[in-house]
Structure formats: C-alpha cells, structure tokens
Amino acid sequence: GQNIDQPTEMTATEGAIVQINCTYQTSGFNGLFWYQQHAGEAPTFLSYNVLDGLEEKGRFSSFLSRSKGYSYLLLKELQMKDSASYLCALRNTGGFKTIFGAGTRLFVKA
Amino acid sequence: DVKVTQSSRYLVKRTGEKVFLECVQDMDHENMFWYRQDPGLGLRLIYFSYDVKMKEKGDIPEGYSVSREKKERFSLILESASTNQTSMYLCASTTFQGWASGSLREQYFGPGTRLTVT
C-alpha cells in the first residue's frame, strides 16, 4: 500500500521561506506531485518530480529523495495569497491512479 | 486553458434518492476521475475511466457507479444516497501519453460539488 504523511498545519510570515514535508511508504511509483488548493476551490498543479533532486518553478521548488521516501515543497518570498492547502500525491506505477496525502494547510501572516 | 466543469456547486439530497453528478472536460483527455474529499482524509479515488465505456474501481467504489458514454463526459451516480456520502466531490481529467515516467501529466480538477445528504 501507499501511506503519505504531511503535517496538518503550518504558519509562516509574509516574505519568508517555508518548507512543507511529505513522507511516504510505497512499493513503487512513477512520480510525485504537488498541488495547491485554496479553500473552497479545486486543486491546481504546482510541480512534479520523477527523478531524485530539485525541480524549480519560480517561487516554488520541489525536492524528491526516493531512497529516503521523502519530498518537500519549498515556497520562497511568501505572499498572503499562498495561504492554502498543499497536497502531496504519488502516481502509481500503473500510471492511472494517484494517491493523495491529506494535505498541509499553510497560513501566511503579515 | 483546460476546463473541467461540474454540473452543480452545491447539492442537497434526501437519503435514498438517486443522485447524478456530471463532469465535462473540453481538452479531449482520455482519463477521467472521480474523487471525494473529506477533512483529514484527503482526496480518495472512487472510480476512474481511461476510455469511453471503460471504467475501473478506485479505492472506495462502494455505493457508487459511473458512466462514460462520451469522451468528454464522466458521470458519478449514487444509486441510493446515504448520509455518509455527504462530502465534496471532485472530478479530474488528464491526458495519457504512455507508461514511461517522462510521460506523466498533471490532473486538471473541476470546481467540486458539495453534496449534503439529509
């Protein structure tokens, strides 16, 4: 099976950097995805990792270490609009199914 | 822009009613998915479809069925609604470009339907 663990909530200050961790136990997967979901809205795609290492997309970066069963999403220069839930998800080796973590609610304060 | 639409944002139904949730995507995606999202549990896959008239059970299919008669439309059916099916229902779609890791594509989600069963 696949278990995905993320912190339930985090709080950070506007302009700061925050790292949201995701750990998992799985027998194998094709890729790890990060989605952002504002309250009452649909999740939207942020980034994904297939290989170990860092993927950078503007203010957002995502890191994967398959050997450690670990990923993180890094948000730089935090803005108030970054207050949202961040979902870590694994796409299984069959390619069709994606397993989502429960998400981390990030609160950005002034 | 990819657009995934769902027939209702809010729905209130009575226990025992048959409920239809409709999802339409406009990007010619092969794969479509139905999830439910509950606090503390994240998104859980109910059913998915990888082609017209093809469907596969997800992790929590009990009490649900689906229909995919046209490529752009994927319907979720609650045969006899129960109070434990009160939830946010999210539809998603993605294109399929092969099994290799490099062909992975993200899912595009609809706005969700908040269903309350009383």
Coordinates of all heavy atoms in Angstrom, one line a residue, chain A residues 8 29-33 35 37 40-46 48-51 57 66 85 87 91-103, chain B residues 9 31 33 35 37 40-45 48 50 57-59 88 90 94-96 99-112 114:
Chain A
T8 N -0.2 18.6 9.4 CA -1.6 19.1 9.2 C -1.7 20.6 8.9 O -2.4 21.0 8.0 CB -2.5 18.8 10.4 OG1 -2.4 17.4 10.7 CG2 -3.9 19.2 10.2
F29 N 6.5 4.0 -7.4 CA 5.6 5.0 -8.0 C 6.3 5.6 -9.2 O 7.6 5.5 -9.3 CB 5.2 6.0 -7.0 CG 6.4 6.8 -6.4 CD1 6.7 8.1 -7.0 CD2 7.1 6.3 -5.4 CE1 7.8 8.8 -6.4 CE2 8.2 7.0 -4.9 CZ 8.5 8.3 -5.4
N30 N 5.6 6.2 -10.1 CA 6.2 6.9 -11.3 C 6.6 8.3 -11.0 O 7.6 8.8 -11.6 CB 5.2 6.9 -12.4 CG 5.3 5.6 -13.3 OD1 6.2 4.9 -13.1 ND2 4.4 5.5 -14.2
G31 N 5.8 9.0 -10.2 CA 6.1 10.4 -10.0 C 5.4 10.9 -8.7 O 4.4 10.3 -8.3
L32 N 6.0 12.0 -8.2 CA 5.4 12.6 -7.0 C 5.0 14.0 -7.4 O 5.7 14.8 -8.0 CB 6.4 12.7 -5.9 CG 5.8 13.2 -4.5 CD1 6.5 12.4 -3.4 CD2 6.0 14.7 -4.4
F33 N 3.7 14.4 -7.1 CA 3.1 15.6 -7.5 C 2.8 16.5 -6.3 O 2.6 16.0 -5.2 CB 1.8 15.4 -8.2 CG 1.9 14.7 -9.6 CD1 2.2 13.4 -9.7 CD2 1.7 15.5 -10.7 CE1 2.3 12.8 -10.9 CE2 1.8 14.9 -12.0 CZ 2.1 13.5 -12.1
Y35 N 0.2 19.7 -5.4 CA -1.0 20.6 -5.8 C -1.3 21.6 -4.7 O -1.0 21.4 -3.5 CB -2.2 19.7 -6.0 CG -2.2 18.8 -7.2 CD1 -1.6 17.6 -7.2 CD2 -2.8 19.2 -8.4 CE1 -1.6 16.7 -8.3 CE2 -2.9 18.4 -9.5 CZ -2.2 17.1 -9.4 OH -2.2 16.3 -10.5
Q37 N -4.4 24.0 -3.2 CA -5.8 24.1 -3.1 C -6.2 25.2 -2.2 O -6.1 25.1 -0.9 CB -6.4 22.8 -2.7 CG -8.0 22.8 -2.7 CD -8.6 21.4 -2.4 OE1 -8.0 20.6 -1.7 NE2 -9.8 21.1 -2.9
G40 N -12.3 26.1 -0.7 CA -13.5 26.1 -1.5 C -13.2 26.0 -3.0 O -14.1 26.2 -3.8
E41 N -12.0 25.8 -3.4 CA -11.6 25.7 -4.8 C -11.0 24.4 -5.1 O -10.7 23.5 -4.3 CB -10.6 26.8 -5.1 CG -11.2 28.2 -4.9 CD -10.3 29.3 -5.4 OE1 -9.2 29.0 -6.0 OE2 -10.5 30.5 -5.0
A42 N -10.8 24.2 -6.4 CA -10.2 22.9 -6.9 C -8.7 22.9 -6.7 O -8.1 24.0 -6.8 CB -10.6 22.7 -8.4
P43 N -8.1 21.8 -6.6 CA -6.6 21.7 -6.5 C -6.1 22.1 -7.9 O -6.7 21.8 -8.9 CB -6.4 20.2 -6.3 CG -7.6 19.7 -5.7 CD -8.7 20.4 -6.3
T44 N -5.0 22.8 -7.9 CA -4.3 23.1 -9.1 C -2.8 22.6 -9.0 O -2.2 22.7 -8.0 CB -4.3 24.6 -9.4 OG1 -3.7 25.3 -8.2 CG2 -5.7 25.1 -9.6
F45 N -2.3 22.2 -10.1 CA -1.0 21.6 -10.2 C 0.1 22.6 -9.9 O 0.1 23.7 -10.4 CB -0.8 21.0 -11.6 CG 0.6 20.6 -11.9 CD1 1.1 19.4 -11.4 CD2 1.3 21.3 -12.8 CE1 2.4 19.0 -11.7 CE2 2.6 20.9 -13.1 CZ 3.2 19.8 -12.6
L46 N 1.1 22.2 -9.1 CA 2.3 23.1 -8.9 C 3.5 22.5 -9.6 O 4.2 23.2 -10.3 CB 2.5 23.2 -7.4 CG 1.6 24.1 -6.6 CD1 2.0 24.0 -5.1 CD2 1.6 25.5 -7.1
Y48 N 6.0 18.5 -10.3 CA 6.2 17.1 -10.0 C 7.6 16.7 -10.2 O 8.4 17.3 -10.9 CB 5.2 16.2 -10.9 CG 5.7 16.0 -12.3 CD1 6.5 14.9 -12.7 CD2 5.2 16.8 -13.4 CE1 6.9 14.7 -14.0 CE2 5.6 16.6 -14.7 CZ 6.4 15.5 -15.0 OH 6.7 15.3 -16.3
N49 N 8.0 15.6 -9.5 CA 9.3 15.0 -9.6 C 9.2 13.6 -10.0 O 8.4 12.8 -9.5 CB 10.0 15.1 -8.2 CG 10.2 16.5 -7.7 OD1 9.3 17.2 -7.3 ND2 11.5 16.9 -7.7
V50 N 10.1 13.2 -10.9 CA 10.2 11.8 -11.3 C 11.5 11.3 -10.8 O 11.6 10.2 -10.2 CB 10.2 11.7 -12.9 CG1 10.4 10.2 -13.3 CG2 8.8 12.1 -13.4
L51 N 12.6 12.0 -11.0 CA 13.9 11.6 -10.5 C 14.2 12.4 -9.2 O 13.7 13.4 -8.9 CB 15.0 12.0 -11.6 CG 14.7 11.3 -13.0 CD1 15.8 11.9 -13.9 CD2 14.8 9.8 -12.9
K57 N 10.4 26.0 -10.0 CA 9.5 26.7 -10.9 C 9.1 28.0 -10.2 O 8.2 28.1 -9.4 CB 8.2 25.9 -11.0 CG 8.4 24.6 -11.9 CD 7.0 23.9 -12.0 CE 6.1 24.6 -13.0 NZ 4.9 23.8 -13.3
R66 N 14.0 9.4 -3.4 CA 13.3 8.1 -3.4 C 13.9 7.2 -2.3 O 13.2 6.4 -1.7 CB 13.4 7.4 -4.8 CG 12.5 8.1 -5.8 CD 12.7 7.4 -7.2 NE 11.8 7.9 -8.2 CZ 10.6 7.4 -8.5 NH1 10.2 6.3 -7.9 NH2 9.9 7.9 -9.4
S85 N -4.1 25.0 1.1 CA -3.6 23.7 1.4 C -2.7 23.2 0.3 O -2.9 23.5 -0.9 CB -4.8 22.7 1.6 OG -5.6 23.0 2.7
L87 N -1.1 19.7 -1.3 CA -1.3 18.3 -1.4 C -0.2 17.6 -2.0 O 0.2 18.0 -3.1 CB -2.6 18.0 -2.2 CG -3.9 18.8 -1.8 CD1 -5.0 18.4 -2.7 CD2 -4.2 18.6 -0.4
R91 N 1.8 9.1 -8.1 CA 1.2 8.5 -9.3 C 1.8 7.1 -9.3 O 3.0 6.9 -9.4 CB 1.6 9.2 -10.5 CG 1.0 8.5 -11.8 CD -0.5 8.8 -12.0 NE -0.8 10.2 -12.1 CZ -0.7 10.9 -13.3 NH1 -0.3 10.3 -14.4 NH2 -1.0 12.2 -13.3
N92 N 0.9 6.0 -9.2 CA 1.4 4.7 -9.1 C 2.0 4.2 -10.4 O 1.9 4.8 -11.4 CB 0.3 3.7 -8.6 CG -0.7 3.4 -9.6 OD1 -0.7 3.9 -10.7 ND2 -1.6 2.5 -9.3
T93 N 2.7 3.1 -10.3 CA 3.5 2.6 -11.4 C 2.6 2.2 -12.6 O 3.1 2.1 -13.7 CB 4.4 1.4 -11.0 OG1 3.5 0.4 -10.3 CG2 5.5 1.8 -10.1
G94 N 1.3 1.9 -12.3 CA 0.4 1.6 -13.4 C 0.1 2.8 -14.3 O -0.4 2.7 -15.4
G95 N 0.2 4.0 -13.7 CA 0.1 5.2 -14.4 C -1.3 5.9 -14.3 O -1.4 7.1 -14.5
F96 N -2.3 5.1 -13.9 CA -3.6 5.8 -13.8 C -4.0 6.3 -12.5 O -4.6 7.4 -12.4 CB -4.7 4.7 -14.2 CG -4.7 4.4 -15.7 CD1 -4.7 3.1 -16.1 CD2 -4.8 5.4 -16.6 CE1 -4.8 2.7 -17.4 CE2 -4.8 5.1 -18.0 CZ -4.8 3.7 -18.4
K97 N -3.6 5.6 -11.4 CA -4.1 6.1 -10.1 C -3.1 7.0 -9.4 O -1.9 6.8 -9.5 CB -4.3 4.8 -9.3 CG -5.5 4.0 -9.7 CD -5.7 2.8 -8.8 CE -6.0 3.1 -7.4 NZ -6.3 1.9 -6.6
T98 N -3.6 8.0 -8.8 CA -2.8 8.9 -8.0 C -3.3 8.9 -6.5 O -4.5 9.0 -6.3 CB -2.9 10.3 -8.5 OG1 -2.4 10.4 -9.9 CG2 -2.1 11.3 -7.7
I99 N -2.4 8.7 -5.6 CA -2.8 8.7 -4.2 C -2.4 10.0 -3.6 O -1.3 10.4 -3.7 CB -2.1 7.5 -3.4 CG1 -2.3 6.2 -4.2 CG2 -2.6 7.4 -2.0 CD1 -3.7 5.7 -4.2
F100 N -3.4 10.6 -2.9 CA -3.1 11.9 -2.3 C -2.9 11.8 -0.8 O -3.6 11.1 -0.1 CB -4.3 12.8 -2.6 CG -4.4 13.3 -4.0 CD1 -5.0 12.6 -5.0 CD2 -3.9 14.6 -4.3 CE1 -5.0 13.0 -6.3 CE2 -4.0 15.1 -5.6 CZ -4.6 14.3 -6.6
G101 N -2.1 12.7 -0.3 CA -2.0 12.9 1.2 C -3.1 13.8 1.6 O -3.9 14.3 0.8
A102 N -3.3 13.9 2.9 CA -4.4 14.7 3.5 C -4.2 16.2 3.3 O -5.2 16.9 3.4 CB -4.6 14.3 4.9
G103 N -3.0 16.6 3.0 CA -2.7 18.0 2.7 C -2.2 18.7 3.9 O -2.5 18.3 5.1
Chain B
R9 N -22.5 23.2 -8.0 CA -21.5 23.5 -6.9 C -22.0 23.0 -5.6 O -21.2 22.6 -4.7 CB -21.3 25.0 -6.8 CG -20.4 25.6 -8.0 CD -19.1 25.0 -8.1 NE -18.2 25.1 -6.9 CZ -17.4 26.1 -6.7 NH1 -17.3 27.1 -7.5 NH2 -16.7 26.1 -5.6
N31 N -8.3 10.2 -19.9 CA -8.5 9.7 -18.5 C -9.4 10.7 -17.7 O -9.1 11.9 -17.7 CB -7.2 9.5 -17.8 CG -6.3 8.6 -18.5 OD1 -6.7 7.8 -19.2 ND2 -5.0 8.9 -18.4
F33 N -11.5 11.0 -13.7 CA -11.5 10.5 -12.4 C -12.6 11.2 -11.5 O -12.9 12.3 -11.7 CB -10.2 10.8 -11.7 CG -9.0 10.4 -12.4 CD1 -8.5 11.2 -13.5 CD2 -8.3 9.2 -12.1 CE1 -7.3 10.8 -14.2 CE2 -7.2 8.8 -12.8 CZ -6.7 9.6 -13.9
Y35 N -13.2 11.8 -7.4 CA -12.7 11.7 -6.0 C -13.8 12.3 -5.1 O -14.6 13.1 -5.4 CB -11.5 12.6 -5.9 CG -10.3 12.2 -6.7 CD1 -10.0 12.7 -7.9 CD2 -9.3 11.3 -6.1 CE1 -8.9 12.4 -8.7 CE2 -8.1 11.0 -6.9 CZ -8.0 11.5 -8.1 OH -6.8 11.2 -8.8
Q37 N -13.5 14.3 -1.2 CA -12.6 14.9 -0.3 C -13.3 15.2 1.0 O -14.3 15.9 1.1 CB -12.0 16.2 -0.9 CG -10.9 16.9 -0.1 CD -10.3 18.1 -0.8 OE1 -11.0 18.8 -1.6 NE2 -9.0 18.3 -0.6
G40 N -9.3 15.8 6.8 CA -8.4 14.9 7.4 C -8.1 13.6 6.6 O -7.2 12.8 7.0
L41 N -8.8 13.4 5.6 CA -8.7 12.2 4.8 C -8.1 12.4 3.4 O -7.7 11.5 2.7 CB -10.0 11.4 4.6 CG -10.6 10.9 5.9 CD1 -12.0 10.3 5.6 CD2 -9.7 9.9 6.6
G42 N -8.1 13.7 3.0 CA -7.6 14.0 1.6 C -8.5 13.5 0.5 O -9.7 13.2 0.8
L43 N -8.0 13.5 -0.7 CA -8.8 13.0 -1.8 C -8.7 11.5 -1.9 O -7.6 11.0 -1.9 CB -8.2 13.6 -3.1 CG -8.7 15.0 -3.5 CD1 -7.9 16.1 -2.7 CD2 -8.5 15.3 -5.0
R44 N -9.8 10.9 -2.1 CA -9.9 9.4 -2.2 C -10.6 9.1 -3.5 O -11.6 9.6 -3.8 CB -10.6 8.8 -1.0 CG -9.8 8.9 0.3 CD -10.6 8.3 1.4 NE -11.8 9.0 1.7 CZ -12.8 8.5 2.5 NH1 -12.7 7.3 3.0 NH2 -13.9 9.2 2.7
L45 N -9.9 8.2 -4.3 CA -10.4 7.9 -5.6 C -11.6 6.9 -5.6 O -11.5 5.9 -4.9 CB -9.3 7.2 -6.4 CG -9.6 6.9 -7.9 CD1 -9.9 8.1 -8.7 CD2 -8.4 6.1 -8.5
F48 N -12.3 5.6 -11.9 CA -11.7 6.3 -13.0 C -12.0 5.6 -14.3 O -12.5 4.5 -14.3 CB -10.2 6.5 -12.8 CG -9.4 5.2 -12.8 CD1 -8.8 4.8 -13.9 CD2 -9.3 4.5 -11.6 CE1 -8.0 3.6 -13.9 CE2 -8.5 3.3 -11.6 CZ -7.9 2.9 -12.7
Y50 N -10.4 5.3 -18.4 CA -9.3 5.6 -19.3 C -9.7 5.6 -20.7 O -8.9 5.8 -21.6 CB -8.2 4.6 -19.1 CG -8.6 3.1 -19.1 CD1 -8.6 2.4 -20.3 CD2 -9.0 2.5 -17.9 CE1 -9.0 1.1 -20.3 CE2 -9.4 1.2 -17.9 CZ -9.3 0.5 -19.1 OH -9.7 -0.8 -19.1
K57 N -12.6 0.5 -10.8 CA -12.9 0.9 -9.4 C -11.6 1.6 -8.8 O -10.5 1.1 -9.1 CB -13.3 -0.3 -8.6 CG -14.6 -0.9 -9.0 CD -14.9 -2.1 -8.1 CE -16.3 -2.7 -8.5 NZ -16.6 -3.9 -7.7
G58 N -11.9 2.6 -8.0 CA -10.8 3.2 -7.3 C -10.7 2.5 -5.9 O -11.0 1.3 -5.7
D59 N -10.4 3.3 -4.9 CA -10.2 2.8 -3.6 C -11.5 2.7 -2.7 O -11.6 1.9 -1.8 CB -9.2 3.7 -2.8 CG -7.9 3.7 -3.5 OD1 -7.4 2.6 -3.9 OD2 -7.3 4.8 -3.7
M88 N -17.4 16.5 -0.4 CA -17.1 17.3 -1.6 C -16.6 16.3 -2.6 O -15.7 15.5 -2.4 CB -15.9 18.3 -1.2 CG -15.3 19.0 -2.5 SD -16.5 20.1 -3.3 CE -16.2 21.5 -2.3
L90 N -15.0 15.8 -6.3 CA -14.2 16.4 -7.3 C -13.9 15.5 -8.5 O -13.6 14.4 -8.4 CB -12.8 16.8 -6.7 CG -12.8 17.9 -5.7 CD1 -11.6 17.9 -4.8 CD2 -12.9 19.3 -6.4
T94 N -7.0 14.0 -17.2 CA -5.6 14.1 -17.7 C -5.5 13.4 -19.0 O -6.2 12.5 -19.3 CB -4.7 13.6 -16.6 OG1 -3.3 13.9 -17.0 CG2 -4.8 12.1 -16.4
T95 N -4.5 13.8 -19.7 CA -4.2 13.1 -21.0 C -3.3 11.9 -20.7 O -2.5 11.9 -19.7 CB -3.6 14.1 -22.0 OG1 -3.5 13.4 -23.3 CG2 -2.2 14.5 -21.6
F96 N -3.3 11.0 -21.6 CA -2.4 9.8 -21.5 C -1.4 9.8 -22.6 O -1.8 9.8 -23.8 CB -3.2 8.5 -21.5 CG -2.4 7.3 -21.4 CD1 -1.8 6.9 -20.3 CD2 -2.2 6.5 -22.6 CE1 -1.0 5.7 -20.2 CE2 -1.4 5.4 -22.5 CZ -0.9 5.0 -21.3
W99 N 3.4 5.0 -20.8 CA 3.6 4.5 -19.5 C 4.9 5.0 -18.9 O 5.2 4.8 -17.7 CB 3.6 2.9 -19.5 CG 2.3 2.4 -19.9 CD1 2.0 1.8 -21.1 CD2 1.1 2.4 -19.1 NE1 0.7 1.4 -21.1 CE2 0.1 1.8 -19.9 CE3 0.8 2.9 -17.8 CZ2 -1.2 1.6 -19.4 CZ3 -0.5 2.7 -17.4 CH2 -1.5 2.0 -18.2
A100 N 5.8 5.5 -19.7 CA 7.1 5.9 -19.2 C 6.9 7.1 -18.2 O 6.0 7.9 -18.3 CB 8.0 6.4 -20.4
S101 N 7.9 7.2 -17.3 CA 7.8 8.2 -16.3 C 7.8 9.6 -16.9 O 7.1 10.5 -16.4 CB 9.0 8.1 -15.3 OG 8.9 6.9 -14.6
G102 N 8.5 9.8 -18.0 CA 8.5 11.1 -18.6 C 7.2 11.5 -19.2 O 7.1 12.7 -19.6
S103 N 6.3 10.6 -19.3 CA 5.0 11.0 -20.0 C 4.0 11.4 -19.0 O 2.8 11.6 -19.3 CB 4.5 9.8 -20.8 OG 4.1 8.8 -19.9
L104 N 4.4 11.5 -17.7 CA 3.4 11.8 -16.7 C 2.8 13.2 -17.0 O 3.5 14.1 -17.4 CB 4.0 11.9 -15.3 CG 4.4 10.5 -14.7 CD1 5.0 10.7 -13.3 CD2 3.2 9.6 -14.7
R105 N 1.5 13.4 -16.7 CA 0.9 14.6 -16.8 C 0.0 14.9 -15.6 O -0.5 14.0 -15.0 CB 0.0 14.7 -18.1 CG 0.8 14.7 -19.4 CD 1.6 15.9 -19.6 NE 2.4 15.9 -20.8 CZ 3.6 15.4 -21.0 NH1 4.2 14.9 -19.9 NH2 4.2 15.5 -22.1
E106 N -0.1 16.2 -15.3 CA -0.9 16.5 -14.1 C -2.4 16.3 -14.4 O -2.8 16.3 -15.5 CB -0.6 17.9 -13.7 CG -1.1 19.0 -14.7 CD -0.1 19.3 -15.7 OE1 0.8 18.5 -16.0 OE2 -0.2 20.4 -16.3
Q107 N -3.1 16.3 -13.3 CA -4.6 16.2 -13.4 C -5.1 17.6 -13.3 O -4.6 18.5 -12.6 CB -5.2 15.3 -12.3 CG -4.8 13.9 -12.4 CD -5.4 13.0 -11.4 OE1 -6.5 13.3 -10.9 NE2 -4.7 11.9 -11.0
Y108 N -6.2 17.8 -14.1 CA -7.0 19.1 -14.0 C -8.3 18.8 -13.3 O -9.0 17.9 -13.7 CB -7.2 19.6 -15.4 CG -5.9 20.0 -16.1 CD1 -5.2 19.1 -16.8 CD2 -5.5 21.3 -16.1 CE1 -4.0 19.4 -17.5 CE2 -4.3 21.7 -16.7 CZ -3.6 20.7 -17.4 OH -2.4 21.1 -18.1
F109 N -8.6 19.6 -12.3 CA -9.7 19.4 -11.5 C -10.9 20.3 -11.8 O -10.7 21.5 -12.2 CB -9.4 19.6 -10.0 CG -8.6 18.4 -9.5 CD1 -7.2 18.4 -9.6 CD2 -9.2 17.4 -8.8 CE1 -6.4 17.3 -9.1 CE2 -8.5 16.3 -8.3 CZ -7.1 16.3 -8.4
G110 N -12.1 19.9 -11.7 CA -13.3 20.7 -11.7 C -13.4 21.4 -10.4 O -12.7 21.2 -9.4
P111 N -14.4 22.4 -10.3 CA -14.6 23.2 -9.1 C -15.1 22.4 -7.9 O -15.1 22.9 -6.8 CB -15.5 24.3 -9.5 CG -16.3 23.7 -10.7 CD -15.3 22.7 -11.3
G112 N -15.7 21.2 -8.1 CA -16.2 20.4 -7.0 C -17.7 20.6 -6.8 O -18.3 21.7 -7.2
R114 N -20.3 20.2 -3.7 CA -20.5 19.9 -2.2 C -21.9 19.3 -2.1 O -22.9 20.0 -2.2 CB -20.4 21.1 -1.4 CG -20.4 20.8 0.1 CD -19.9 21.9 1.0 NE -18.5 22.1 0.9 CZ -17.6 21.3 1.4 NH1 -17.9 20.3 2.1 NH2 -16.3 21.6 1.3

